[in-house]
mmCIF file of all heavy atoms in Angstrom:
data_model
loop_
_atom_site.group_PDB
_atom_site.id
_atom_site.type_symbol
_atom_site.label_atom_id
_atom_site.label_comp_id
_atom_site.label_asym_id
_atom_site.label_seq_id
_atom_site.Cartn_x
_atom_site.Cartn_y
_atom_site.Cartn_z
ATOM 1 N N GLY T 39 19.690 -45.250 1.467
ATOM 2 C CA GLY T 39 19.799 -46.264 2.599
ATOM 3 C C GLY T 39 21.258 -46.674 3.020
ATOM 4 O O GLY T 39 21.573 -47.034 4.135
ATOM 5 N N ASN T 50 32.577 -50.064 17.620
ATOM 6 C CA ASN T 50 32.750 -49.203 18.909
ATOM 7 C C ASN T 50 31.909 -48.146 19.047
ATOM 8 O O ASN T 50 32.334 -46.973 19.347
ATOM 9 C CB ASN T 50 34.245 -48.730 18.822
ATOM 10 C CG ASN T 50 35.319 -49.833 18.860
ATOM 11 O OD1 ASN T 50 35.165 -50.809 19.538
ATOM 12 N ND2 ASN T 50 36.311 -49.697 17.970
ATOM 13 N N LEU T 54 24.704 -43.405 22.650
ATOM 14 C CA LEU T 54 24.105 -42.317 21.828
ATOM 15 C C LEU T 54 24.120 -42.499 20.287
ATOM 16 O O LEU T 54 23.131 -42.326 19.572
ATOM 17 C CB LEU T 54 24.655 -40.965 22.156
ATOM 18 C CG LEU T 54 24.136 -39.747 21.622
ATOM 19 C CD1 LEU T 54 22.779 -39.595 22.103
ATOM 20 C CD2 LEU T 54 24.958 -38.419 21.944
ATOM 21 N N SER T 55 25.273 -43.059 19.803
ATOM 22 C CA SER T 55 25.364 -43.292 18.408
ATOM 23 C C SER T 55 24.448 -44.434 17.972
ATOM 24 O O SER T 55 23.903 -44.398 16.923
ATOM 25 C CB SER T 55 26.768 -43.551 17.887
ATOM 26 O OG SER T 55 27.307 -44.690 18.472
ATOM 27 N N ILE T 57 21.582 -45.335 19.352
ATOM 28 C CA ILE T 57 20.258 -44.807 19.266
ATOM 29 C C ILE T 57 20.061 -43.947 18.058
ATOM 30 O O ILE T 57 19.005 -44.001 17.412
ATOM 31 C CB ILE T 57 19.934 -43.912 20.532
ATOM 32 C CG1 ILE T 57 19.931 -44.832 21.702
ATOM 33 C CG2 ILE T 57 18.631 -43.208 20.561
ATOM 34 C CD1 ILE T 57 19.762 -44.187 23.148
ATOM 35 N N GLN T 64 15.009 -46.358 11.025
ATOM 36 C CA GLN T 64 13.617 -46.527 11.094
ATOM 37 C C GLN T 64 12.864 -45.427 10.598
ATOM 38 O O GLN T 64 11.667 -45.576 10.078
ATOM 39 C CB GLN T 64 13.161 -47.026 12.388
ATOM 40 C CG GLN T 64 13.646 -48.382 12.838
ATOM 41 C CD GLN T 64 13.279 -49.551 11.906
ATOM 42 O OE1 GLN T 64 12.290 -49.468 11.343
ATOM 43 N NE2 GLN T 64 14.166 -50.416 11.638
ATOM 44 N N SER T 65 13.298 -44.214 10.565
ATOM 45 C CA SER T 65 12.578 -43.041 10.071
ATOM 46 C C SER T 65 12.522 -43.213 8.592
ATOM 47 O O SER T 65 11.616 -42.966 8.061
ATOM 48 C CB SER T 65 13.366 -41.708 10.511
ATOM 49 O OG SER T 65 13.395 -41.583 12.023
ATOM 50 N N PHE T 86 0.537 -43.258 10.398
ATOM 51 C CA PHE T 86 1.842 -43.102 10.157
ATOM 52 C C PHE T 86 2.677 -42.724 11.354
ATOM 53 O O PHE T 86 3.729 -43.334 11.572
ATOM 54 C CB PHE T 86 2.026 -41.796 9.135
ATOM 55 C CG PHE T 86 3.411 -41.536 8.799
ATOM 56 C CD1 PHE T 86 4.132 -42.210 7.848
ATOM 57 C CD2 PHE T 86 4.085 -40.571 9.499
ATOM 58 C CE1 PHE T 86 5.493 -41.904 7.524
ATOM 59 C CE2 PHE T 86 5.267 -40.207 9.200
ATOM 60 C CZ PHE T 86 6.116 -40.902 8.240
ATOM 61 N N ALA T 101 18.378 -52.791 20.276
ATOM 62 C CA ALA T 101 19.713 -52.520 20.018
ATOM 63 C C ALA T 101 20.443 -52.101 21.368
ATOM 64 O O ALA T 101 21.547 -52.656 21.638
ATOM 65 C CB ALA T 101 19.878 -51.530 18.985
ATOM 66 N N LEU T 104 20.769 -55.327 23.685
ATOM 67 C CA LEU T 104 21.772 -56.217 23.172
ATOM 68 C C LEU T 104 23.093 -55.717 23.611
ATOM 69 O O LEU T 104 24.042 -56.512 23.913
ATOM 70 C CB LEU T 104 21.592 -56.533 21.762
ATOM 71 C CG LEU T 104 20.431 -57.376 21.414
ATOM 72 C CD1 LEU T 104 20.326 -57.422 19.717
ATOM 73 C CD2 LEU T 104 20.511 -58.750 22.061
ATOM 74 N N PRO T 116 38.397 -59.060 23.626
ATOM 75 C CA PRO T 116 38.058 -57.743 22.940
ATOM 76 C C PRO T 116 37.750 -57.993 21.443
ATOM 77 O O PRO T 116 36.826 -57.262 20.913
ATOM 78 C CB PRO T 116 39.360 -56.905 23.074
ATOM 79 C CG PRO T 116 39.943 -57.465 24.337
ATOM 80 C CD PRO T 116 39.578 -58.911 24.365
ATOM 81 N N ARG T 119 34.302 -59.514 21.184
ATOM 82 C CA ARG T 119 33.351 -58.570 21.578
ATOM 83 C C ARG T 119 33.066 -57.652 20.362
ATOM 84 O O ARG T 119 31.821 -57.303 20.157
ATOM 85 C CB ARG T 119 33.772 -57.920 22.795
ATOM 86 C CG ARG T 119 32.653 -56.792 23.276
ATOM 87 C CD ARG T 119 33.406 -55.973 24.450
ATOM 88 N NE ARG T 119 33.839 -56.775 25.513
ATOM 89 C CZ ARG T 119 33.001 -57.101 26.632
ATOM 90 N NH1 ARG T 119 31.848 -56.625 26.631
ATOM 91 N NH2 ARG T 119 33.420 -57.888 27.550
ATOM 92 N N ASP T 159 -10.385 -55.320 -13.181
ATOM 93 C CA ASP T 159 -11.509 -54.716 -12.541
ATOM 94 C C ASP T 159 -11.598 -54.956 -11.070
ATOM 95 O O ASP T 159 -11.314 -56.164 -10.717
ATOM 96 C CB ASP T 159 -12.725 -54.961 -13.254
ATOM 97 C CG ASP T 159 -12.835 -54.483 -14.692
ATOM 98 O OD1 ASP T 159 -12.227 -53.479 -15.008
ATOM 99 O OD2 ASP T 159 -13.433 -55.172 -15.537
ATOM 100 N N LEU T 177 7.862 -60.431 5.634
ATOM 101 C CA LEU T 177 9.005 -61.415 5.368
ATOM 102 C C LEU T 177 10.077 -60.824 4.486
ATOM 103 O O LEU T 177 11.279 -61.166 4.746
ATOM 104 C CB LEU T 177 8.270 -62.678 4.623
ATOM 105 C CG LEU T 177 7.477 -63.555 5.612
ATOM 106 C CD1 LEU T 177 6.888 -64.645 4.716
ATOM 107 C CD2 LEU T 177 8.277 -64.148 6.686
ATOM 108 N N LEU T 197 39.053 -58.641 5.866
ATOM 109 C CA LEU T 197 39.842 -57.603 5.244
ATOM 110 C C LEU T 197 40.782 -56.854 6.241
ATOM 111 O O LEU T 197 42.003 -56.747 5.825
ATOM 112 C CB LEU T 197 39.002 -56.722 4.495
ATOM 113 C CG LEU T 197 38.207 -57.133 3.291
ATOM 114 C CD1 LEU T 197 37.415 -56.081 2.647
ATOM 115 C CD2 LEU T 197 39.201 -57.810 2.275
ATOM 116 N N PRO T 247 -16.694 -64.571 1.542
ATOM 117 C CA PRO T 247 -17.748 -65.057 0.657
ATOM 118 C C PRO T 247 -18.316 -64.016 -0.396
ATOM 119 O O PRO T 247 -18.626 -64.353 -1.478
ATOM 120 C CB PRO T 247 -18.891 -65.525 1.603
ATOM 121 C CG PRO T 247 -18.216 -65.804 2.963
ATOM 122 C CD PRO T 247 -16.988 -64.787 2.989
#
Side-chain angles (χ1 to χ4, degrees):
N50 300 317
L54 186 60
S55 66
I57 293 174
Q64 290 306 322
S65 296
F86 176 86
L104 290 175
R119 184 188 298 271
D159 298 323
L177 288 175
L197 293 180

